[in-house]
């Protein structure tokens, strides 16, 4: 099945700094989803990207899907302590089995 | 809608004991999944089901069993618990169609085997 690699594994930032996590696949993806998991919580759906080159924004979060539909990124502008958690990308189009990246844990220092 | 409901939330098992983690969803989703998540690691698929009466192994099925007698319920059975099964377990579901790619997760079951 398809594999999704996610980097970095951890990211420490000072509050107010920007943050980016990247997902890469060796195969073309039908779509990609992003999830956030707060410490001690469960993954919660954030957004889905479907179109080549698609860019979507949710307040300070910007999601991009690459032109070749093999990579995606999540960028957070001016991080806040409420952004702390692990961000996962997931791809499930065209298959019964969702594939998740390992996740990037964001630690925000006040 | 309650979404995906898992029970119990926390459980301590002794080595060799067995137990069942319950999972139910009220969204009429065909696809259901069980994942385990070890500290600092991603989600590893244990078993999945594409509909009532149909189940299949995921990446790490050893030591577990599942059944899917109804669309709503997808229990996970741990037989002869081992310390390696200490983990957080998430049940998840998804529907079909365009919006069906969204995975809905339960709140998790924290299991410790001692």
């Amino acid at each position: 099945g398809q594999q999704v690699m996610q980097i970095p594994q951890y990211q420490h930032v000072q509050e107010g700094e920007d943050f980016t996590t990247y997902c890469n696949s060796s195969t073309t993806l039908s779509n990609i989803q992003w999830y956030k998991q707060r410490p001690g919580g469960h993954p919660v759906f954030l957004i889905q990207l479907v179109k080549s080159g698609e860019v979507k924004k949710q307040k300070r979060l910007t999601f991009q899907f690459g032109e070749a539909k093999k990579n995606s990124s999540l960028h957070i502008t001016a991080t806040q302590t409420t952004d702390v958690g692990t961000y996962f990308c997931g791809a499930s189009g065209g298959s019964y089995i969702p594939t998740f990246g390992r996740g990037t844990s964001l630690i925000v220092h006040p | 809608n309650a979404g995906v409901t898992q029970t119990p939330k926390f459980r301590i098992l002794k080595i060799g004991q067995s137990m069942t983690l319950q999972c139910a969803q009220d969204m009429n989703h065909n696809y259901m999944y069980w994942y385990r998540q070890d500290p600092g690691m991603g989600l590893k698929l244990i078993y999945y089901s594409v509909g009532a009466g149909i189940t299949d192994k995921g990446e790490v099925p050893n030591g577990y069993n599942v059944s899917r007698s109804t669309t709503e319920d997808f229990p996970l059975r741990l037989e002869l618990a081992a310390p390696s099964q200490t983990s957080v377990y998430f049940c998840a579901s998804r529907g079909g169609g365009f919006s069906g790619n969204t995975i809905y997760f339960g709140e998790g079951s924290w299991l410790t085997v001692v």
Side-chain angles (χ1 to χ4, degrees):
Chain A
Q2 57 200 10
Q3 302 236 349
V4 179
M5 305 299 293
Q6 192 172 355
I7 56 169
Q9 188 173 352
Y10 300 96
Q11 183 80 58
H12 289 255
V13 299
Q14 289 294 129
E15 190 172 17
E17 290 182 338
D18 292 355
F19 159 78
T20 306
T21 174
Y22 302 90
C23 269
N24 296 293
S25 170
S26 56
T27 60
T28 302
L29 303 171
S30 300
N31 53 65
I32 196 159
Q33 302 94 42
W34 285 92
Y35 297 81
K36 178 183 179 180
Q37 184 179 22
R38 294 181 188 276
H42 61 285
V44 174
F45 173 78
L46 293 176
I47 209 160
Q48 176 173 270
L49 304 172
V50 178
K51 299 176 184 175
S52 168
E54 189 170 14
V55 178
K56 287 188 176 181
K57 294 191 175 186
Q58 288 180 350
K59 298 183 180 177
R60 293 177 295 103
L61 278 62
T62 302
F63 304 84
Q64 284 190 293
F65 203 8
E67 293 290 340
K69 300 181 75 173
K70 288 186 175 182
N71 56 72
S72 181
S73 64
L74 158 59
H75 179 82
I76 302 178
T77 303
T79 55
Q80 300 175 358
T81 54
T82 53
D83 295 325
V84 164
T86 300
Y87 294 85
F88 291 96
C89 59
S92 59
S95 167
Y96 298 135
I97 304 174
T99 301
F100 291 95
R102 193 171 174 176
T104 297
S105 293
L106 172 62
I107 300 103
V108 180
H109 299 278
Chain B
N1 278 1
V4 180
T5 304
Q6 284 182 241
T7 57
K9 183 114 180 172
F10 301 98
R11 182 73 187 266
I12 298 174
L13 274 183
K14 293 186 178 178
I15 294 172
Q17 285 185 324
S18 299
M19 74 159 298
T20 300
L21 299 177
Q22 301 291 343
C23 175
Q25 52 91 10
D26 61 359
M27 298 173 281
N28 201 33
H29 285 170
N30 285 325
Y31 308 132
M32 295 188 74
Y33 311 89
W34 274 105
Y35 292 92
R36 61 176 286 172
Q37 184 180 39
D38 298 322
M41 303 295 287
L43 296 158
K44 295 195 174 181
L45 182 65
I46 305 171
Y47 269 95
Y48 68 98
S49 169
V50 301
I54 307 169
T55 63
D56 208 345
K57 295 178 181 178
E59 188 183 353
V60 289
N62 290 346
Y64 307 94
N65 267 304
V66 293
S67 59
R68 184 98 181 269
S69 55
T70 65
T71 299
E72 293 77 21
D73 300 299
F74 190 40
L76 176 72
R77 178 121 181 116
L78 281 73
E79 304 281 2
L80 299 174
S84 61
Q85 292 178 303
T86 294
S87 191
V88 183
Y89 292 84
F90 290 103
C91 179
S93 73
R94 67 181 269 239
F98 176 79
S99 62
N101 291 317
T102 303
I103 313 294
Y104 296 88
F105 288 87
E107 293 189 347
S109 296
W110 275 253
L111 176 67
T112 302
V113 182
V114 297

